[in-house]
Amino acid sequence: MATQAKRSRPGVVLLVFLLILAGLFTIMAATRTWSPKLGLDLQGGQTITLTATNKTVTLEQLEMARDIIRQRVDGLGVGEANVAVQGERHIVVSAPNVSRDDLVDLVGATAQLAFRRILSIDVGTAGTPASGEPGLPGLPKPPAEEMQGDPQKLPTADAIAYQPTQEDVQYFQEFQCGDETHEDPTRALAACDEQGLQKYLLGPTVIRGQELSTASFGIPQGDLQYVVTLSFNSTGTAEMAELTGALVGQPEPSNMFAIVLDGVVESAASARDRIMNGEAVISGGFNAETSAALANVLKFGALPLSFEPSQVETVSATLGGEQLRVGIIAGIIGLAIVALYSFLYYRAMGIVVVLSLIVAALATYAMVVLLGSTMGVALNLPGIAGAIVGIAMTADSFVIYFERIRDEIREGKSLKSALQAGWAKARGTIVISDMVQLLSALVLFVLAVGSVKGFAFMLGLTTLLDLAVVFFFTKPLVELLGRTKFFGQGHKWSGMDAAHMGVSRDSLLGRRLRRPTSTTPQEA
């Protein structure tokens, strides 16, 4: 009884599916996102060629740099970025949906992170330090030779206790924001904030970027500004505890430390308590994009080589736009031919094919738009080809279902019974066919590179949507049409008439001819 009740409600299934589809477009309207994110060949973008400046460059270093740069670009969600090694010294990066300056800054950042004690603060021009003569009263000055040696083995206590020399003071007074900086982790450093409003005299490096475990960004609870949160390994955690423990209780700026990235002071913080959990926060003027960019650069590490951009080009979308126009026209012509054939062969039932194709196309478009805005999925020309191939599978699924219905009617079942029995036999074939195509798309996506991944992704997405459309739209729609007088009683233009099915009208309607029986007079 439960099965019969379930089969008698195709309208409910159809309504729920259409409501879900409408919900996707409602989300698009609420977010005001109506267009998909386009790939490099459709929208245009930037291509930058990086050249390694090191004397010795190995293929292993180039491949490591390529992987780090790809992670950085992908972390921004720009979609369809392509990063490739070219020759013996070059890496070529192509990315849509990103400006020239942003791409240059992102892929060229060396991500050299350091935590240094602040010795003095001044405005961002040359002059006498606003905080007075640099110095850290109460802390012994270590001998200069103790600060020399291997920079990978920094004595934390000596770095914290460092006092500037007269040379450091003169260097700081002459330094102006915008001057080139030369970082040495064992020596004092003059550096400015990103805006050039303040300059700092900083002590030697206390905590190095190598001690960083991960970096994330977001808005802390109860705050309104984006920050970048850093988490350190066990060594970095111990060094952070030692640094903040020494700074607590000191007068400003002696109680402050700076977070320095590539010679720029990203954040200056006061140590009010000893930090024991190995976490630090970079704050100040971040938005969602800039905080994400900084977190990604820090999280994915420093480049093993030094690069300079030898060539930066803006890629035009003119050629891709023309190909897109031609591709869309070809797709429309192909789908129109499919629709015409469906009406010629299946007559009025061809409307099921057309409506299924329309619904599949709408669902695909909505998913591409939403995935582009949430996950950075970009639509390229190969992706459009994959979508057309996948959407066309919807018509193929209908053909399988209809032919199974015809087989059941020829075996003597009525139209009403054939609709159920035909679906029971067709759905296995449909699922297997789609699973084979989905597996092919998955293998291609894993093994392919570049824009071919777009084809594989869209083919897989539309294959999954085909299953949803066939199960929750095509099948219930056929059932509903089978209950109408026009289709259910086999009108000659319905596509379900007896002649088209190859049976008699009585057989189609489930009628059976009975032989007359003789009766005796007594029975009469």
Side-chain angles (χ1 to χ4, degrees), residues 49-50 57-59 62-63 84-92:
T49 300
L50 300 173
V57 179
T58 65
L59 179 60
L62 279 175
E63 291 178 344
V85 174
Q86 187 178 83
E88 298 179 352
R89 284 185 169 269
H90 306 291
I91 293 179
V92 179

Side-chain angles (χ1 to χ4, degrees), residues 294-305:
L294 177 58
N296 282 324
V297 169
L298 295 175
K299 180 166 56 177
F300 298 125
L303 298 177
L305 297 169

Side-chain angles (χ1 to χ4, degrees), residues 124-444:
T125 57
T128 303
S131 59
E133 186 72 13
L136 301 178
L139 292 175
K141 178 181 178 181
E145 59 271 13
E146 290 186 18
M147 298 306 302
Q148 307 301 320
D150 185 0
Q152 300 298 319
K153 298 180 180 179
L154 289 171
T156 304
D158 291 345
I160 295 174
Y162 180 87
Q163 289 187 1
T165 65
Q166 189 60 38
E167 292 180 354
D168 295 335
V169 174
Q170 183 177 355
Y171 164 56
F172 179 59
Q173 291 175 342
E174 296 176 353
F175 180 84
Q176 294 187 17
C177 294
D179 291 350
E180 185 177 359
T181 59
H182 300 279
E183 285 195 72
D184 183 343
T186 66
R187 300 178 63 86
L189 173 70
C192 293
D193 59 10
E194 193 170 7
Q195 293 76 27
L197 300 178
Q198 286 186 313
K199 68 175 182 177
Y200 302 83
L201 179 61
L202 308 174
T205 297
V206 180
I207 306 175
R208 298 170 298 143
Q210 289 90 327
E211 315 303 341
L212 184 68
S213 295
T214 186
S216 59
F217 70 98
I219 301 177
Q221 185 175 2
D223 205 343
L224 299 176
Q225 297 292 329
Y226 278 90
V227 300
V228 177
T229 303
L230 311 178
S231 298
F232 294 91
N233 59 21
S234 57
T235 301
T237 299
E239 292 170 343
M240 175 63 72
E242 188 172 355
L243 171 64
T244 53
L247 300 186
V248 171
Q250 296 285 337
E252 289 191 359
S254 299
N255 68 335
M256 301 179 67
F257 64 92
I259 302 174
V260 186
L261 180 67
D262 293 336
V264 177
V265 176
E266 294 289 344
S267 181
S270 300
R272 295 182 176 88
D273 299 293
R274 189 177 187 184
I275 300 176
M276 302 295 294
N277 61 356
E279 292 192 355
V281 174
I282 304 177
S283 61
F286 288 121
N287 56 31
E289 290 75 20
T290 56
S291 60
L294 177 58
N296 282 324
V297 169
L298 295 175
K299 180 166 56 177
F300 298 125
L303 298 177
L305 297 169
S306 297
F307 291 93
E308 63 179 15
S310 57
Q311 186 175 5
V312 181
E313 296 179 338
T314 299
V315 180
S316 172
T318 303
L319 180 60
E322 178 64 21
Q323 292 175 333
L324 174 62
R325 186 182 67 84
V326 174
I328 291 178
I329 292 175
I332 292 175
I333 292 175
L335 294 177
I337 292 175
V338 171
L340 178 61
Y341 176 81
S342 299
F343 281 115
L344 290 176
Y345 187 78
Y346 297 109
R347 300 175 186 175
M349 282 297 291
I351 193 173
V352 178
V353 178
V354 174
L355 291 178
S356 297
L357 290 174
I358 292 174
V359 168
L362 290 175
T364 301
Y365 185 82
M367 291 300 297
V368 170
V369 171
L370 295 177
L371 289 175
S373 62
T374 58
M375 300 177 61
V377 174
L379 184 64
N380 58 6
L381 282 173
I384 293 175
I388 293 175
V389 172
I391 292 172
M393 284 290 293
T394 303
D396 183 61
S397 298
F398 168 79
V399 171
I400 294 174
Y401 181 25
F402 188 85
E403 292 304 320
R404 285 295 188 182
I405 295 174
R406 177 181 290 181
D407 291 341
E408 293 300 315
I409 290 177
R410 288 173 178 173
E411 291 179 4
K413 289 186 174 66
S414 66
L415 176 60
K416 182 178 179 181
S417 299
L419 292 177
Q420 297 297 332
W423 171 250
K425 294 182 178 180
R427 64 188 176 195
T429 304
I430 294 173
V431 170
I432 292 174
S433 176
D434 280 353
M435 286 299 104
V436 170
Q437 182 158 292
L438 185 62
L439 181 61
S440 301
L442 179 62
V443 172
L444 184 62

